[in-house]
Amino acid sequence: MTYLNAFLCGGLLCAVGQILIDRTQLTPARILTGYVVAGVLLQAVGLYQPLVDWGGAGATVPLTGFGYCLAKGVAKAVAEKGLLGALTGGLTAAAGGIAAAVVFGVLAALIFRPGDKR
């Protein structure tokens, strides 16, 4: 059942993104940014944690999960360090994901050569 919940949750998030791409004039960059902000806002009002509990990786892997991770890290750091935690908590919590994105981006740039295919 865990796999089915993750599939349904992640699939629903992806389907909403695809509908936004197909039916609106929003650019993919704006949709992606909106997903991160939605994850932060939903975590701030306490609605994203129940989704994570139900959907597991289907809720934490998409971009809304990145926003959730940032908000959760900030909340934890503010509780431990005070106002300074608002500046450091999000990056500390998401450091692994950010580092992986940079490393894999560099590897992809080294392996594949961009260019005009004319």
Side-chain angles (χ1 to χ4, degrees):
M1 195 65 172
T2 301
Y3 292 123
L4 179 63
N5 290 350
F7 176 78
L8 291 174
C9 183
L12 182 64
L13 289 170
C14 292
V16 169
Q18 188 63 48
I19 290 169
L20 289 172
I21 288 172
D22 292 343
R23 304 282 182 182
T24 68
Q25 295 296 319
L26 293 172
T27 63
R30 289 178 188 231
I31 294 169
L32 297 176
T33 304
Y35 264 43
V36 173
V37 172
V40 170
L41 293 176
L42 289 172
Q43 176 61 19
V45 296
L47 295 176
Y48 206 79
Q49 187 61 49
L51 183 63
V52 169
D53 294 340
W54 177 77
T60 58
V61 172
L63 283 171
T64 51
F66 182 70
Y68 155 78
C69 180
L70 289 172
K72 192 173 178 181
V74 167
K76 180 180 176 189
V78 167
E80 293 174 358
K81 301 176 185 174
L83 191 57
L84 184 62
L87 302 173
T88 61
L91 290 177
T92 302
I98 294 169
V102 170
V103 167
F104 290 122
V106 169
L107 287 175
L110 292 173
I111 294 171
F112 301 103
R113 298 284 178 215
D116 196 6
K117 301 282 186 199
R118 288 188 239 184

